[in-house]
Amino acid sequence: MSANERVGPTREARVDDPGRACEEGIDTVEIRPRLPALQWWVFAIVGIVVVLSVVRAYGPLTYPGDIWRQSDTATIAHNFATNGMNIFFPQINWGGAGPGYVETEFQLLPWLTAVLYLVFGEHVALGRLISLGFMLVAAAAFWGLARRLLPPTAAQWALAAFFLSPAFMRWGTAFMPEATVLAFYMLALLGFCRWLREDRVIFLVWAAAATSMAALVKPTSLHIGAVLGLWLVFAARDRLRRPSLYVAGLAALVAPVLWLRHAAWLHATYGNTFGVISGGDSKWGSLELWLSPGFYVGNFRSEAIFIYGLIGVPLAVFGAVWLWRRHSSTSLTVPLLAAGMIALAVYYFAVGRYSSTDLGIQYHVYSLPYAALAIGAGCTAVLHWTRGRWSPLAIGMTGVAMAVLLGSQAVNVFFQSLPDRSGVFGACATQLDAVSSPSDLVVVSTTSRTIEDGVTNNYQEPIVFFLADRQGWSLPADKHTPESVQSLRAEGARFLVVGDPQLVPAGGPLASWLADNADQIRSSAQDGCAIWDLGQSSRSSSASAGGSAPDSENPPGNP
């Protein structure tokens, strides 16, 4: 029996055919349902996608827009394996001369990766394969959900849509926490679904534990509380009177709250943050942003391209209409889709500063299960319409065409992510590695500013630090001044790395100061990246030897 039934207090009847239950609208809660098994063509899709994902896992960390986060995650994994496996003290490389402890989400993925590093040696692909493992857990949980919520054919297509989504290919093997959080997010939805259907407290505990883990891995997943709450209101509001529901909800928050307090302490103590809760960055939307057309266009673009794969948009609309007409409003599927749509809309407004831009495409990964459910229903609606109108061959070709079109954007993601697109970051890392040693502290220039659109901004650029395996400081675009560089040199910085020559224009204050106080050992024109040695100055030494007064800001012998 599918979960598309009225959730009531009775447990007397048992229906073995979920498709028939959906067709006939049987009003009962099943205890041990007979659920559909996967068909061969779905296995074929799963196999192809997994093979391509494994291939992608061994490619470079250079997909545009994601490399910066992957660089930080990979750096944290490296530092766990190198400096100790204390999961409560993640370390980045842009923390200057300090240890680099940083306020961030609970670093489960990097820690697990570091465990494998200690066993097999440091290979970035290991972290990406762990992400793939979490993505497969998410897919398994989604299949458990889909076959309880949809008729058999629709459930098969929903799982196919899940695997064929560009989101699976983009984040399924990314060295980022998106696959990890999606696994726990899906487990929470599945546990709550089973609690609604079977009314056993163990499934409520399951949902609470999975929600807690999801919130630890990425606090943005806390919007699932709104999803589950609305789902309950729409489908089984009588259970709102149960104290166990609220106990489970509060219990789910304990670990995330404790971690966020600890993470905020790391920021206050060491000054490094991903902008999780205590400051350093702002993700919040604003009235001005919400009133701009770009906010809506940006969010729709990210959803349409990277979640629905373009063709999935009309299929999802057909599917939603098909489900609405086919099942009563008290079923579980339609309420879940409505709850997801409402909660995600609020969530995208809340994190609007990033959700509508290319820097925040990963914020949309939570849409994947709702999109796949609707697309699965839409594919089934199309095939149902063709029955009796077209020949079996034409129907089969229609199914193949839908699968190919659904997967076309994922194939594009696959090929776009294979070439090394590190560009100037790669050039800077290569040149920095050639002129410095791992113990040298460096300053890496970035085009980001400390304040963007009137709010505090995380300007740190981790890519060069990761690729070159160096530590030091990021220099924001609005701090390219002699005073800033001199201050960092006094703290121990040996090299200044500038990828964008416009940040140090010829004849400008910083260029003039560098000409007098540092040696340029690499140039953008010749080497693709400009690097200055701040630890010594042949110009100043020559001037001193010729009788000129030494530079007061860089006296002889000053390192």
Side-chain angles (χ1 to χ4, degrees):
M1 175 181 179
S2 167
N4 293 308
E5 75 275 339
R6 183 176 306 156
V7 177
T10 178
R11 291 187 178 201
E12 297 176 359
R14 180 181 302 166
V15 179
D16 292 329
D17 184 353
R20 183 170 65 84
C22 290
E23 299 265 351
E24 299 177 4
I26 296 175
D27 182 17
T28 184
V29 174
E30 57 196 313
I31 300 175
R32 285 185 289 273
R34 180 178 298 169
L35 300 172
L38 283 175
Q39 296 183 12
W40 69 267
W41 60 272
V42 184
F43 274 115
I45 289 174
V46 170
I48 293 171
V49 172
V50 169
V51 168
L52 292 178
S53 296
V54 171
V55 172
R56 184 175 183 266
Y58 286 89
L61 295 177
T62 54
Y63 195 86
D66 291 345
I67 184 175
W68 59 273
R69 180 57 199 263
Q70 296 190 81
S71 296
D72 262 335
T73 308
T75 297
I76 291 172
H78 167 80
N79 287 334
F80 275 142
T82 303
N83 302 328
M85 295 293 292
N86 191 338
I87 197 171
F88 298 105
F89 286 85
Q91 294 172 279
I92 40 75
N93 279 4
W94 38 262
Y101 298 132
V102 61
E103 178 199 28
T104 184
E105 307 95 339
F106 187 70
Q107 293 297 298
L108 179 61
L109 171 63
W111 190 87
L112 292 175
T113 303
V115 171
L116 294 188
Y117 283 178
L118 295 177
V119 177
F120 300 104
E122 185 167 345
H123 306 284
V124 172
L126 292 174
R128 304 180 73 179
L129 291 174
I130 291 177
S131 276
L132 179 58
F134 276 114
M135 203 65 167
L136 293 176
V137 170
F142 176 78
W143 171 238
L145 183 72
R147 61 183 183 159
R148 287 174 171 84
L149 295 180
L150 296 171
T153 301
Q156 306 277 347
W157 274 104
L159 184 62
F162 189 96
F163 274 90
L164 291 171
S165 170
F168 190 104
M169 187 61 66
R170 178 159 183 167
W171 297 300
T173 51
F175 211 147
M176 299 168 65
E178 271 57 41
T180 310
V181 71
L182 190 61
F184 292 115
Y185 190 93
M186 288 309 312
L187 287 170
L189 288 178
L190 176 59
F192 201 76
C193 175
R194 295 197 65 176
W195 178 67
L196 288 176
R197 289 164 53 88
E198 303 174 40
D199 199 8
R200 296 169 57 192
V201 70
I202 186 63
F203 295 120
L204 185 60
V205 174
W206 168 346
T211 297
S212 185
M213 286 302 302
L216 277 170
V217 174
K218 278 190 78 73
T220 51
S221 65
L222 280 170
H223 74 269
I224 196 176
V227 176
L228 301 183
L230 290 170
W231 195 7
L232 189 61
V233 168
F234 295 154
R237 66 186 62 186
D238 59 300
R239 298 195 193 180
L240 289 170
R241 295 191 292 269
R242 298 187 183 183
S244 59
L245 177 70
Y246 303 98
V247 172
L250 290 174
L253 294 175
V254 172
V257 168
L258 291 176
W259 172 259
L260 290 174
R261 287 189 61 185
H262 171 69
W265 175 83
L266 289 176
H267 179 207
T269 305
Y270 299 100
N272 307 309
T273 180
F274 280 9
V276 177
I277 190 171
S278 67
D281 190 52
S282 175
K283 302 174 178 62
W284 303 111
S286 63
L287 182 61
E288 180 182 5
L289 177 66
W290 298 333
L291 294 177
S292 66
F295 171 76
Y296 301 93
V297 173
N299 276 289
F300 178 78
R301 175 183 174 274
S302 293
E303 290 278 310
I305 295 176
F306 294 102
I307 304 298
Y308 290 82
L310 296 178
I311 189 62
V313 174
L315 287 173
V317 173
F318 293 154
V321 173
W322 183 76
L323 287 171
W324 181 264
R325 291 179 176 178
R326 193 176 180 84
H327 308 295
S328 69
S329 61
T330 54
S331 69
L332 289 183
T333 310
V334 173
L336 173 59
L337 293 179
M341 179 180 67
I342 294 170
L344 286 175
V346 174
Y347 163 67
Y348 292 143
F349 271 81
V351 296
R353 181 167 174 246
Y354 287 120
S355 67
S356 58
T357 72
D358 287 344
L359 292 176
I361 296 175
Q362 70 275 12
Y363 283 57
H364 292 262
V365 72
Y366 303 113
S367 293
L368 180 55
Y370 313 107
L373 287 172
I375 291 171
C379 291
T380 305
V382 171
L383 294 177
H384 278 193
W385 181 85
T386 62
R387 290 178 183 173
R389 294 181 174 88
W390 296 355
S391 67
L393 178 60
I395 294 174
M397 294 302 295
T398 300
V400 171
M402 286 193 298
V404 170
L405 290 172
L406 283 172
S408 60
Q409 276 297 109
V411 172
N412 182 53
V413 167
F414 173 77
F415 284 110
Q416 288 292 320
S417 64
L418 292 181
D420 187 333
R421 300 179 185 275
S422 55
V424 68
F425 301 118
C428 284
T430 299
Q431 297 302 326
L432 179 61
D433 187 60
V435 301
S436 65
S437 66
S439 61
D440 289 326
L441 295 176
V442 302
V443 180
V444 177
S445 175
T446 171
T447 56
S448 297
R449 303 173 64 86
T450 54
I451 302 293
E452 293 281 358
D453 302 321
V455 298
T456 304
N457 182 55
N458 264 13
Y459 58 84
Q460 289 80 8
E461 180 53 73
I463 302 173
V464 175
F465 290 107
F466 166 67
L467 294 177
D469 190 21
R470 298 294 187 270
Q471 292 179 274
W473 298 262
S474 281
L475 185 65
D478 52 338
K479 297 293 183 180
H480 280 63
T481 63
E483 295 77 15
S484 295
V485 177
Q486 169 62 21
S487 175
L488 294 176
R489 181 170 71 171
E491 293 186 51
R494 174 66 187 273
F495 296 94
L496 171 65
V497 181
V498 180
D500 187 344
Q502 297 183 39
L503 292 171
V504 187
L510 181 55
S512 299
W513 183 89
L514 289 170
D516 293 334
N517 296 275
D519 288 334
Q520 184 169 5
I521 53 180
R522 293 289 188 272
S523 68
S524 297
Q526 181 175 337
D527 306 297
C529 183
I531 301 178
W532 284 267
D533 186 342
L534 303 175
Q536 59 183 348
S537 175
S538 59
R539 291 177 182 270
S540 296
S541 299
S542 299
S544 178
S548 300
D551 184 349
S552 60
E553 291 186 323
N554 187 27
N558 187 36

